[in-house]
Amino acid sequence: MSENITIKDIARICGVGVSTVSRAINDDPGINEKTKERILETVRKFRYVPNTSARNLKMTESNTIALIVCGVGNTFFTSMYDDFQNELEKNGYDFLLHSVDNDVNIPAEALRLSKEKRLKGIVFLGGWINPNSKSLLNVNVPYVFCTVSHTIEGPHAPCPTVGIDDIAASKRMVDYLCDMGHKKIAIIAGVEGDMAVAGGRLLGYRKSLEEHGIEVDEDLVFHMKKDIDEFTVENGYVVTKELIASKKEFTAVYCISDLTAIGAYRAIYDAGLKIPDDISVVGFDGIELGDYMNPRITTMVQPRHEMALESVRILLKLISQEEGIADTVFPTELLTRDSVKKIG
Amino acid sequence: MSENITIKDIARICGVGVSTVSRAINDDPGINEKTKERILETVRKFRYVPNTSARNLKMTESNTIALIVCGVGNTFFTSMYDDFQNELEKNGYDFLLHSVDNDVNIPAEALRLSKEKRLKGIVFLGGWINPNSKSLLNVNVPYVFCTVSHTIEGPHAPCPTVGIDDIAASKRMVDYLCDMGHKKIAIIAGVEGDMAVAGGRLLGYRKSLEEHGIEVDEDLVFHMKKDIDEFTVENGYVVTKELIASKKEFTAVYCISDLTAIGAYRAIYDAGLKIPDDISVVGFDGIELGDYMNPRITTMVQPRHEMALESVRILLKLISQEEGIADTVFPTELLTRDSVKKIG
DNA sequence: TTGAAAGCGCTAACAC
DNA sequence: GTGTTAGCGCTTTCAA
């Protein structure tokens, strides 16, 4: 529980100036090897750790890129952390994972963090950002939105995004169900009023049915509960239970995330029904876990690793000022596994 | 992309001193309401954000408690974040989630962070900490280890821990399998050489078999792969595949984590076998997901929410110097679900 | 109620 | 190669 020891102390102990110590601990070239070794010895001995705040305050720049995540625990995101970290470190950047509670704080937190850490750039992951956000404009480092959706309507923020076409991909998912002969397709959509990712997927659902000449039965449109985390297993379970209890007829459930689908599985088992014999289920995202379920979940795969890498690539280009603003839309892939039955 | 605006700028614009601005933004009592309002107006107008580094550097203390997690993506841990956050904020503390890559960095990172943020306390979650660590002793704020195991042998660090008795709990799990008539019980243990949590659970396995007069068949002891993240679904899958390929006879598999068990499920399905009819499977941890699998995973539940709350409670006591060092061992609960068949 | 001024610990000129 | 020194932006005495 030693008192805080500073660079001055080390300098005094070694009988050198503070700048020499600074050079030693920062691997500065212009320093005598002997002196350096002696200083580092002392540093180790006294377990001196430079104060990051002072350093950040003084330094004109860092080499850090932050990943600001809304929903750190989300399996879809956690599986991308390594991609970001590896790609960033491969390019000589320090990596910082920062979690934000909810969308509201995102711009302010980004601003604060960018100043505090003198960030070189930011990747936003998850959440939803008001395109008209004032604080975001204040962030004076390049940033990229990865899987952060624009609102499906209204003006889009003029900023680089990496994502998928939620509406089109969702439509394709439902097209597939229709092609398999399903007509009564329930949807477990996002919380009511979600105008971002979840909203887009609901729109795709409507569009597909319309195109197939099937009138959307609003009684088959279920929304996740507001008081449970969106996109979670639990939300899928609770809502699917309601769906089943509603006694409405349906042959397939479209869950707008794989985790939600896993919840739906349980609700369906609980009701003594079989997948896909009695009810077909599809998910969305293509997380690893879907492959471990029984039956394997048919889903729409987002190329999340490529999306992570591309986000980094775009950010680095932005940093070196090689490129302007652009939306990068990745293709999704329909992964037909075992959770859908052909009927009709 | 405005230039960084500082407290000085605000002061100049408002025609006041910097200290007055400081008082305004920090809700200091001794300040004229009118002046304060005028200043805050300007702050908003220019979107001024105080520099955290400068603030941290200057401030003698903060009100922040950090949760330092090794393995941010681990489902078992992610399900505890909210518990920590809520409990901490309820007690008037700021919450900070910090991720560390691997065990090696933990003490150094803790030290750095505690200085940088002038932490009031630290909760460590996951990972493994060398009880002889020098840097940890240098951390001059109270800390608690939550689900961070001591090594199963050798000296324990003199520090407060919150966890379970891995050896005993593991033994009880295997006892159960024995009681259900199983004699050929394979184990998917942690990576070879793991002397912490995973090592303890392996020890419990050996102990139970011994007590039941069953000689441990080393060919049924499988270790997770070092090149895949420990405790993951994937690791469970790969290793169980090997187990099955080994052609050794066994009637049950004990996976030392639920995620690992989920991986084992898949490998078993792949081999065309049925759970629990052909092979019984048990997990460990009691994560939510286990309840969604088919069949539901029989597991050993760690009371993780209580553990999180207790960690906070202990830390707060430590901070107010009410209590000394102690190991808190929580009871675990055998949750028998549907993945084990009675045989013999 | 307010302002001036002294640092917090560090880096980066600049001088030697 | 090395030491001296001026701040980075902020909080906090201390005087006014």
Side-chain angles (χ1 to χ4, degrees), chain B residues 174 178 181-185 205-217:
Chain B
V174 181
C178 292
H182 293 274
K183 290 190 167 52
K184 299 180 181 183
I185 303 170
Y205 164 83
R206 293 182 185 282
K207 227 168 151 177
S208 171
L209 291 187
E210 224 167 81
E211 239 176 57
H212 283 82
I214 301 172
E215 199 183 336
V216 175
D217 180 350

Side-chain angles (χ1 to χ4, degrees), chain B residues 16-17 19-20 23 30-32 35 58:
Chain B
V16 298
S19 47
T20 308
R23 281 177 196 116
I31 181 174
N32 182 298
T35 330
K58 183 66 195 179

Side-chain angles (χ1 to χ4, degrees), chain A residues 320-337:
Chain A
S320 57
Q321 310 201 317
E322 283 172 36
E323 202 166 291
I325 287 160
D327 282 355
T328 309
V329 178
F330 269 84
T332 54
E333 188 199 343
L334 175 66
L335 185 56
T336 55
R337 295 197 282 216

